[in-house]
Amino acid sequence: LLRNLRTAIANGLPKDDALRALTLTPAEILGVQNRFGDLAVGKTASFVVVRGELFEPRARIEFAFADGKRFKVSEASQAASAPATPAFRRPRDWDAENTASLLEASCCFHHAHGSTLTHMHSHDHEAHACEAEYTDHLTAGVPPRQDAPREQPTQPSAERTEQASASDETPTMPRVKLTPLMPPPADEHNTWLIRNATVWTMAHEKPLPNTDVLVVDGRIAAVGKNLTAPPNARIVDGTGKHLTPGLMDCHSHTAISGGVNEGTNVCTAEVRIQDVINPEDVNIYRQLAGGVTSALMLHGSANVIGGQSITVKWRWGKTADEMIFKEAPSGVKFALGENVKRSNFRTPGSTRYPASRMGVEQVMRERFLAALDYKRHWQEYRQGKRPLPPQRDLQLDALVEILEGKRLIHCHSYRQDEILMLLRVCEEFGVRVGTLQHVLEGYKVANEIARHGAGASSFSDWWAYKIEVYDAIPHNGAIMWERGVVVSFNSDSNELARRMNTEAAKAVKYGGVPEVDALKFVTLNVAKQLGVERYVGSIEVGKHADLALWSDHPLSGYAVCEKTFVDGVLYFDRERDRAWREELERERQEYLKGLRAESVFDERKREEPSERSSDAPQPSAPTRFAGTWRGTITGGDPLPPEGVPFTLRIRQEGNQLRGTLETPLGAQEFSIAAPDGDTLTITLEVSGMSLTVNATVAGDRLTGTISAMGLSFTIEAQRAPDI
């Protein structure tokens, strides 16, 4: 323990903080700080007497006092408590296994006799965790190269051990720079003047050419021409560029840790998405790079009444709590149709109620009635009509907030009959639906949706991925907009959320929606649906400075987001991103100088004769993948417990891998460049869904993941023998 703390101190941990971590902090955690933790009058006499300073390498504990009783600590016991350490060479030349780029590879560090000390992942933030966890191993030394002559011991073992102990007592960490996966904001500066841009305010019928926007302390202070910048403002030249409000996604499952569904009960309104936000999800940064600044994080659609949603701002680098959009009303996810009836899959045990559309309707009605009773009981208790308060019920607390108009309903829906059912049930209880999510048959009942006052957050052009969406049309959004519905387009996808501007453009193509109104489908209309139009969604004085600066017309497929501001802070800057990537590539090249394609440390591999002839041809990477792979996709809800079968057929054609992926959703062809290693990535469209397959081949076994619609599942397959 002391050895590891000395290592931490050598790399920057203050000694006072290290001592506190051993004494007062544990006492506070255990709630006994009034008796233990420091040397204060009146506290229990439990302490140690050290010869030398505790964190110095030569320090030795002489006595330990427990409740005033003295115990002698022998040298032998301290020596026995220290772990035996193999002899290492000091940091000098080093080698490691690596088969891919540094960001995606795993490096194995070895000691002088060839066995692995630790497995350090250099992907995402894990490198930092491993650096801390395995400091002892990584800093004690690095191996000699295998092709260098072994150093023979020239001194007695005891003497060598003593010298090694002295030199390694406080190891020096090899200073290999570990760059964060994506760069956080350079600072918290939030006062800017963006000059001479074409500004899409969303408050005007057309964009304003050659216009300035002044941002002061994170809010929009002025919009006009020839504005004067305050002394502390930073200037951005917007000439030839377009400035829009930050884009907003009304249906996101990004940054949800541990799964989006709590599907074990028909109603789970007590669970909260805000408790499982993962602020380190790289998709946050990628969506900022697409101009997205806010999103509605939703529970999944496994049950009629799901968990509580939360609206967030993508403040990359902040904590989960700091990402929450404080002014936004909270919500609850409702769902209709095939998912909640479990029409397309089975689960172990008895069938969960409901299994029909009429059952779905009655679940909502029964839960609303229960919430009314619960509310009445509390009112009677507060009026003195009940001697005891009702038992607290977190689920009913959330439903009461819906009945009182304090919490919004965001309902997964497709078919017009189900949409009408939901609106009518809610109207029975005086509830207005916040948004109908997906709402692919909304064009059939657009008048009824507008009359009710619900928002409609639709896919732009997804359909045919299951039976209940077969009547979807690309003009759905435009028709509902024409009838007076507040319409938005959403992503429901980590990948699609990176290009919401081109989703909005589809409203122009399919239905002729004017450009400004189409852009509202991913800005102001979303803000209205989420109840935050007072704060975001347009570029108006007093609103939050959530902005996106584009290289071209924002509805153009050629437009690139150059800068994204959230509350006036520059969270994405393409120039900074480019410089960071160049620095990362330089760092990568430094690593790669010492890397080899395969391990040169495994003595057993070197000493044992090869099982195959030395002149036998080795298979190329494409040959390794070629064949017919049959296996299963597993991963829980919404898949059945036994999984779903799939077949992956791959053939080699020169430097290309071509083939088909066959699943119950259909077959889809693909063609990719043959990878150099044992890992391949295939991205393709199946029944309107974007699928990504990441797989590794080891002999005749293929393992990996398949991702679709924000969900990830496990795949395992075997290569079928040639017939």
Side-chain angles (χ1 to χ4, degrees):
L1 176 62
L2 288 178
R3 178 185 175 89
N4 290 339
L5 274 174
R6 289 166 189 157
T7 301
I9 291 169
N11 289 277
L13 178 66
K15 290 183 178 181
D16 289 346
D17 291 340
L19 182 60
R20 196 181 198 285
L22 291 175
T23 56
L24 188 56
T25 297
E28 290 172 345
I29 293 173
L30 297 173
V32 293
Q33 66 272 21
N34 60 331
R35 298 178 54 209
F36 301 98
D38 59 2
L39 298 175
V41 175
K43 289 195 175 182
T44 302
S46 297
F47 53 88
V48 296
V49 178
V50 183
R51 177 182 297 173
E53 188 176 351
L54 178 62
F55 297 119
E56 293 300 321
R58 297 293 183 181
R60 290 294 180 267
I61 298 175
E62 294 283 323
F63 303 101
F65 286 77
D67 293 332
K69 296 181 180 179
R70 190 181 75 166
F71 299 88
K72 174 71 174 177
V73 181
S74 66
E75 291 285 341
S77 66
Q78 295 190 59
S81 65
T85 306
F88 291 97
R89 293 179 57 156
R90 300 304 304 157
R92 202 162 60 229
D93 195 13
W94 63 278
D95 208 338
E97 289 184 354
N98 201 326
T99 58
S101 71
L102 178 65
L103 280 179
E104 300 172 354
S106 300
C107 300
C108 299
F109 292 80
H110 304 255
H111 66 57
H113 298 293
S115 61
T116 300
L117 278 175
T118 183
H119 194 70
M120 171 184 164
H121 290 284
S122 296
H123 180 67
D124 205 350
H125 60 281
E126 295 178 7
H128 304 281
C130 291
E131 181 183 16
E133 184 175 357
Y134 297 119
T135 292
D136 188 32
H137 299 299
L138 291 175
T139 61
V142 291
R145 296 181 64 91
Q146 197 63 43
D147 51 4
R150 289 290 179 90
E151 295 182 359
Q152 301 298 325
T154 57
Q155 55 189 357
S157 176
E159 180 182 354
R160 186 170 67 251
T161 302
E162 182 179 349
Q163 291 184 6
S165 174
S167 63
D168 286 339
E169 194 69 40
T170 306
T172 303
M173 183 172 291
R175 287 302 178 186
V176 178
K177 182 181 177 183
L178 294 173
T179 306
L181 184 64
M182 295 295 175
D187 53 41
E188 296 291 320
H189 187 82
N190 61 1
T191 298
W192 303 81
L193 179 58
I194 303 171
R195 290 191 184 278
N196 203 36
T198 299
V199 180
W200 298 65
T201 65
M202 302 296 103
H204 297 81
E205 293 183 358
K206 294 182 179 180
L208 307 179
N210 306 317
T211 299
D212 302 346
V213 173
L214 177 63
V215 175
V216 176
D217 296 332
R219 290 183 179 263
I220 297 167
V223 179
K225 296 182 182 294
N226 302 316
L227 299 180
T228 301
N232 63 331
R234 296 178 184 173
I235 309 298
V236 176
D237 183 8
T239 303
K241 307 181 190 302
H242 291 248
L243 186 70
T244 70
L247 308 188
M248 304 177 70
D249 187 358
C250 198
H251 190 124
S252 174
H253 300 299
T254 297
I256 296 176
S257 175
V260 302
N261 277 304
E262 176 51 66
T264 54
N265 194 3
V266 68
C267 177
T268 58
E270 66 273 24
V271 303
R272 308 192 307 174
I273 290 295
Q274 72 181 76
D275 296 329
V276 289
I277 297 174
N278 173 17
E280 296 178 345
D281 187 339
V282 69
N283 289 294
I284 297 172
Y285 182 83
R286 291 170 179 166
Q287 290 172 26
L288 283 165
V292 177
T293 56
S294 300
L296 173 63
M297 296 178 64
L298 285 167
H299 185 274
S301 55
N303 29 25
V304 178
I305 302 176
Q308 300 174 26
S309 60
I310 192 71
T311 303
V312 295
K313 289 195 176 190
W314 289 143
R315 299 178 177 114
W316 176 248
K318 298 296 187 180
T319 65
D321 286 342
E322 289 171 323
M323 287 188 175
I324 294 174
F325 198 148
K326 305 297 184 184
E327 296 86 351
S330 53
V332 168
K333 176 71 173 292
F334 278 46
L336 310 171
E338 294 178 12
N339 286 15
V340 295
K341 296 191 298 95
R342 304 194 168 191
S343 303
N344 303 315
F345 55 90
R346 293 172 298 169
T347 56
S350 59
T351 301
R352 189 196 72 182
Y353 178 81
S356 66
R357 285 185 163 83
M358 58 184 174
V360 172
E361 177 178 352
Q362 291 311 311
V363 166
M364 288 188 286
R365 182 173 283 107
E366 184 277 330
R367 286 289 80 196
F368 281 153
L369 289 172
L372 285 176
D373 283 343
Y374 179 71
K375 178 181 179 181
R376 177 172 51 82
H377 293 162
W378 272 105
Q379 289 173 340
E380 291 173 350
Y381 168 72
R382 295 186 180 105
Q383 294 169 358
K385 297 178 180 179
R386 283 177 171 264
L388 296 174
Q391 182 177 349
R392 183 74 181 277
D393 190 314
L394 298 179
Q395 181 186 113
L396 293 177
D397 281 343
L399 297 180
V400 168
E401 290 176 351
I402 291 175
L403 295 172
E404 293 176 342
K406 299 175 181 178
R407 186 179 292 275
L408 301 176
I409 292 175
H410 303 287
C411 187
H412 165 110
S413 57
Y414 290 111
R415 288 178 36 158
Q416 54 88 15
D417 52 353
E418 295 181 321
I419 293 169
L420 290 177
M421 176 274 292
L422 171 71
L423 300 182
R424 289 164 180 165
V425 169
C426 288
E427 287 169 359
E428 284 183 31
F429 294 89
V431 173
R432 183 181 66 84
V433 174
T435 63
L436 295 163
Q437 296 285 331
H438 312 320
V439 61
L440 295 189
E441 290 189 19
Y443 66 95
K444 297 181 180 180
V445 289
N447 290 335
E448 287 76 9
I449 296 173
R451 188 179 304 116
H452 176 88
S457 186
S458 179
F459 291 142
S460 63
D461 56 359
W462 286 20
W463 51 74
Y465 48 91
K466 54 183 175 178
I467 296 297
E468 63 183 350
V469 304
Y470 270 31
D471 272 5
I473 60 173
H475 295 76
N476 181 48
I479 292 174
M480 290 190 291
W481 169 79
E482 285 180 351
R483 302 302 176 88
V485 180
V486 176
V487 177
S488 69
F489 284 162
N490 63 57
S491 76
D492 198 8
S493 162
N494 289 334
E495 187 274 332
L496 185 59
R498 300 166 65 180
R499 45 189 172 88
M500 296 301 293
N501 60 312
T502 55
E503 289 298 284
K506 294 174 184 177
V508 179
K509 178 177 177 61
Y510 300 110
V513 177
E515 290 181 349
V516 170
D517 289 297
L519 191 58
K520 289 179 182 179
F521 281 23
V522 292
T523 54
L524 184 58
N525 287 5
V526 183
K528 291 178 179 178
Q529 291 173 348
L530 302 182
V532 291
E533 68 273 20
R534 291 175 51 201
Y535 307 99
V536 293
S538 62
I539 302 178
E540 298 180 81
V541 173
K543 286 195 172 185
H544 299 180
D546 293 2
L547 305 169
L549 186 66
W550 304 86
S551 63
D552 207 330
H553 190 297
L555 300 182
S556 166
Y558 296 100
V560 173
C561 182
E562 297 186 350
K563 299 181 188 295
T564 305
F565 301 83
V566 181
D567 298 319
V569 177
L570 184 59
Y571 276 90
F572 173 78
D573 178 49
R574 192 161 295 276
E575 293 179 2
R576 184 174 70 211
D577 180 86
R578 185 180 297 112
W580 170 85
R581 291 179 187 276
E582 292 172 356
E583 174 63 25
L584 190 65
E585 179 60 23
R586 286 192 290 269
E587 179 186 343
R588 176 177 177 270
Q589 292 302 324
E590 291 179 9
Y591 276 89
L592 293 176
K593 287 177 183 178
L595 300 182
R596 296 181 178 230
E598 61 180 83
S599 174
V600 294
F601 299 112
D602 193 342
E603 293 184 4
R604 182 179 60 183
K605 181 187 297 185
R606 188 176 65 255
E607 293 171 359
E608 292 180 356
S610 175
E611 294 182 0
R612 62 171 66 184
S613 171
S614 60
D615 57 355
Q618 300 298 316
S620 64
T623 304
R624 275 198 292 276
F625 297 113
T628 299
W629 303 85
R630 291 190 173 93
T632 306
I633 306 172
T634 58
D637 218 2
L639 300 181
E642 66 272 16
V644 173
F646 77 95
T647 301
L648 181 63
R649 305 181 192 275
I650 303 176
R651 63 185 183 277
Q652 177 185 351
E653 296 182 6
N655 292 324
Q656 294 287 311
L657 295 181
R658 304 182 190 277
T660 57
L661 173 65
E662 301 172 8
T663 70
L665 295 176
Q668 183 66 36
E669 296 183 352
F670 63 86
S671 176
I672 62 171
D676 295 330
D678 295 326
T679 301
L680 80 160
T681 299
I682 305 169
T683 300
L684 63 168
E685 295 285 329
V686 176
S687 298
M689 289 189 298
S690 176
L691 299 182
T692 301
V693 177
N694 291 290
T696 301
V697 170
D700 288 333
R701 186 167 182 264
L702 179 145
T703 58
T705 61
I706 183 168
S707 302
M709 298 179 68
L711 303 177
S712 183
F713 306 97
T714 301
I715 59 172
E716 293 188 13
Q718 292 290 128
R719 194 195 320 255
D722 294 331
I723 300 177

